[in-house]
Amino acid sequence: MGAAVSTTATENDEVPTFSLSSPQTTTLDDVPENCISSLMMSFHPQEICTLARVNKAFHRASSADFVWESKLPSNYKFLLNKLLPQHNNLSSMSKKEIYAKLCTPNFFDHGTKEIWLDRSSAQVCLFISSKAFKITGIDDRRYWNYVPTEESRFKSVAYLQQMWWVEVIGELEFEFPKGNYSVFFKLQLGKPTKRLGRRVCYLDQVHGWDIKPARFQLSTSDGQSSVSQCYLRGPGEWAHYHVGDFAVEKPNGPTNIKFSLAQIDCTHTKGGLCIDGVVICPKEFSERLKQF
């Protein structure tokens, strides 16, 4: 007694059917270029150049202006005006071309200063020649001479033969991106030259630097300052002497920097000193100074 429940499908029941077909093959060439470009913004410049070799789509995407503008320092327009004031085709240059231009050594101020971007981080580095400094007695060849040498970026260094009062002062007004920077004098005790194709450094005039330390000073227009002292040592080898550090909190505004080296104790003479110039670089580059 009672109703029977059947679980068997009737002949009229319709069973849905599915048509299975082979999926369409998708390759990297099918990814939209603007998507690739957007992804590339998160990579370092050298990685972008590597990805550009993947295929034509990646190569085109890697050249997008917004990709390279994101890698340029915030003060890049100031740098271009400083380095290429007479260049009429800046508007026609792509951001990739501008980046490549700024990563090469660029001289300005009559060849007395050099600027370049670190290729991997796009951070600004500067080198200032000794010819841009105010050096006491520099016009008197009894005391100072400019010595030609391939060891300098500027092909010459200021060389002190002998003097009682040594004072070297430099000044720079520049627009830096936000960050922390260090200042170093690049110095050597001894006169560099070549003999029979080999490097030679004459030390016969080196004296007086072990009696009293040299004094280094740094000041900026926004009130930062530092003072340090150290003996000049290691004759025959270039060395970087730390002058001080400064911070840029407000990017792209002019910062005036003054720095100096002095040994003005007139109880003894000093001599045999070479001054190549001053390096200004991001603080974290201090371990890479041999590049400068």
Side-chain angles (χ1 to χ4, degrees), residues 188-230:
Q188 178 181 262
L189 293 178
K191 184 178 181 180
T193 187
K194 279 191 174 183
R195 187 175 181 182
L196 300 177
R198 299 182 63 182
R199 182 184 191 270
V200 178
C201 192
Y202 292 110
L203 307 178
D204 54 307
Q205 292 181 315
V206 176
H207 69 283
W209 301 106
D210 56 346
I211 299 174
K212 291 289 181 69
R215 180 182 176 90
F216 299 94
Q217 288 184 280
L218 171 70
S219 64
T220 65
S221 53
D222 59 358
Q224 301 177 71
S225 63
S226 65
V227 180
S228 61
Q229 294 187 121
C230 73

Side-chain angles (χ1 to χ4, degrees), residues 37-84:
S37 297
S38 298
L39 288 172
M40 286 183 172
M41 292 177 67
S42 62
F43 291 94
H44 293 298
Q46 291 174 322
E47 294 172 328
I48 294 173
C49 293
T50 300
L51 288 170
R53 304 189 187 106
V54 171
N55 58 29
K56 291 182 179 180
F58 272 63
H59 185 270
R60 290 191 297 267
S62 71
S63 299
D65 267 0
F66 69 86
V67 172
W68 289 99
E69 188 159 20
S70 70
K71 304 307 173 186
L72 286 166
S74 58
N75 69 336
Y76 80 90
K77 292 182 180 179
F78 165 81
L79 298 180
L80 289 175
N81 290 330
K82 196 80 171 174
L83 302 173
L84 306 170

Side-chain angles (χ1 to χ4, degrees), residues 37-157:
S37 297
S38 298
L39 288 172
M40 286 183 172
M41 292 177 67
S42 62
F43 291 94
H44 293 298
Q46 291 174 322
E47 294 172 328
I48 294 173
C49 293
T50 300
L51 288 170
R53 304 189 187 106
V54 171
N55 58 29
K56 291 182 179 180
F58 272 63
H59 185 270
R60 290 191 297 267
S62 71
S63 299
D65 267 0
F66 69 86
V67 172
W68 289 99
E69 188 159 20
S70 70
K71 304 307 173 186
L72 286 166
S74 58
N75 69 336
Y76 80 90
K77 292 182 180 179
F78 165 81
L79 298 180
L80 289 175
N81 290 330
K82 196 80 171 174
L83 302 173
L84 306 170
Q86 307 301 323
H87 202 300
N88 297 321
N89 297 321
L90 291 180
S91 59
S92 65
M93 294 176 66
S94 69
K95 296 300 187 294
K96 184 178 181 180
E97 290 172 332
I98 291 173
Y99 187 91
K101 170 63 179 173
L102 294 178
C103 284
T104 60
N106 295 280
F107 293 92
F108 63 102
D109 281 359
H110 307 290
T112 62
K113 300 179 181 70
E114 181 188 16
I115 186 170
W116 70 97
L117 302 184
D118 176 68
R119 287 184 178 275
S120 60
S121 66
Q123 295 191 81
V124 176
C125 302
L126 283 142
F127 202 114
I128 306 173
S129 166
S130 58
K131 288 188 175 181
F133 303 154
K134 295 179 180 177
I135 302 176
T136 302
I138 190 64
D139 296 324
D140 194 327
R141 292 194 176 182
R142 293 176 298 173
Y143 307 127
W144 290 92
N145 285 295
Y146 284 107
V147 178
T149 175
E150 293 297 319
E151 297 181 13
S152 170
R153 288 173 176 264
F154 301 96
K155 306 305 179 185
S156 71
V157 296

Side-chain angles (χ1 to χ4, degrees), residues 28-40:
L28 287 175
D29 290 319
D30 298 312
V31 182
E33 285 182 20
N34 62 335
C35 292
I36 300 173
S37 297
S38 298
L39 288 172
M40 286 183 172

Side-chain angles (χ1 to χ4, degrees), residues 12 73 111 202 280:
N12 295 327
Y202 292 110
I280 302 176

